[in-house]
Amino acid sequence: MIEVVKAPPFAAVQDLGWGNGRAWGLPPGGAMDPLLLAAANAAVGNDRGAAALEWALGPGALKFGRRALVCVLRGAELRVEGETMEEAIAQVPAGGTVEVIPGATQRFLYVAVRGGIAVPPMLGSRSTYLPGGFGGHEGRRLRTGDRLPLGDAGRRTDRGMARSPSAEGGDWGAPVPAESKPAADVVLRVTRGPQWDRFDAGARERLFSSAFKVSNASNRMGYRLTGPGIAPRETATLPSEAACPGAVQIPDGGEPIVLMPDGPTVGGYPKIAVVIRADLRLLAQCQPGRRVRFREVSLEEARGTLRAPDAGP
């Protein structure tokens, strides 16, 4: 059992989400950075899709009712019983307290525990779907005083007992993704969206030649980007149609909104482009104010990233 001694501003139980929920109007949900979740789970010997804590926006503390192996990725200070750990992974004694203090660059980090977070699965996932208020722990963010069940740690292996995860992956089973340089613009690869032809040459050129900033009005449903206006030739509102994570919607104001894992499954704004799956996690990790750019790739190149080792689930 884990007790939340001090809840951070944002923490929720997440795994890899719902792979087959779109027929019910349910978005995929799950971790904003699935590759980082997989790496943290691999470090403690879990399956890559085990439920963990998605953590953001500030520090917090957890108390463990049993001896546990814990990994925190990425960019956080990890303290066990008040002692700062030099590695991202640590053994926690029964009754021990872990403090998690996020760094300034990454937006989401993941706290994985050997055995996983054993909240009851719903529709095949333990993820929290905040807009619908279900899944995870009571369908909401974690609060101080919450208690979370842990899964069976099972037999121990040498993995995760003496080393921290390496960028190469090695024995961990999942590579730790590299961080973007804080001073550099984040480049997001996109394919053309279903309403590409509704935008004139000038709007398309602005999409690829301009830098956009991540707005404070960004969350697990969508990231709003501020920058030059990109308006379609005709009114922006269309009959609702299917939408997916990564879709770059252009509302009437002309500033893009990129749909994220909890985003709607249908929408009526024109979609000029779609961020490829492998790069959506890069946008997810951008703090407000971070600059992003778009680069067009072919469908063949986009499909090729799904087979790459760093493409995520």
Side-chain angles (χ1 to χ4, degrees), residues 14-30 121-136 139 220-221 242-245 259-266:
Q14 298 291 352
D15 58 17
L16 295 180
W18 295 273
N20 300 303
R22 190 166 295 276
W24 317 317
L26 180 65
M122 180 172 290
L123 302 176
S125 172
R126 290 184 167 89
S127 286
T128 310
Y129 181 48
L130 295 170
F134 65 84
R220 286 184 50 89
M221 293 185 68
C244 65
L259 298 186
M260 301 305 282
D262 280 355
T265 57
V266 295

Side-chain angles (χ1 to χ4, degrees), residues 61-62 77-85 92-93 96-99 101:
L62 307 169
E77 181 180 343
L78 176 64
R79 297 177 185 171
V80 177
E81 294 292 272
E83 180 182 353
T84 299
M85 299 288 102
V92 181
T97 299
V98 170
E99 297 173 78
I101 304 170

Side-chain angles (χ1 to χ4, degrees), residues 5 17 39 41 47 49 66 76 81 93 98 117 123 145 148 156 160 163 168 183 215 232 239 285 291 298 305:
V5 177
N41 272 321
D47 291 338
R66 74 180 192 203
E81 294 292 272
V98 170
I117 308 298
L123 302 176
L148 304 172
R156 291 180 184 157
R163 297 184 298 161
E168 293 76 22
S215 166
Q285 291 291 11
R291 288 175 26 136
S298 66
T305 65

Side-chain angles (χ1 to χ4, degrees), residues 224-242:
R224 183 180 291 273
L225 306 179
T226 61
I230 301 174
R233 287 191 293 260
E234 303 170 12
T235 180
T237 304
L238 303 169
S240 288
E241 65 173 13

Side-chain angles (χ1 to χ4, degrees), residues 205-224:
E205 194 276 334
R206 284 192 296 276
L207 179 71
F208 295 123
S209 65
S210 305
F212 299 85
K213 287 187 178 181
V214 175
S215 166
N216 286 319
S218 299
N219 55 35
R220 286 184 50 89
M221 293 185 68
Y223 275 30
R224 183 180 291 273

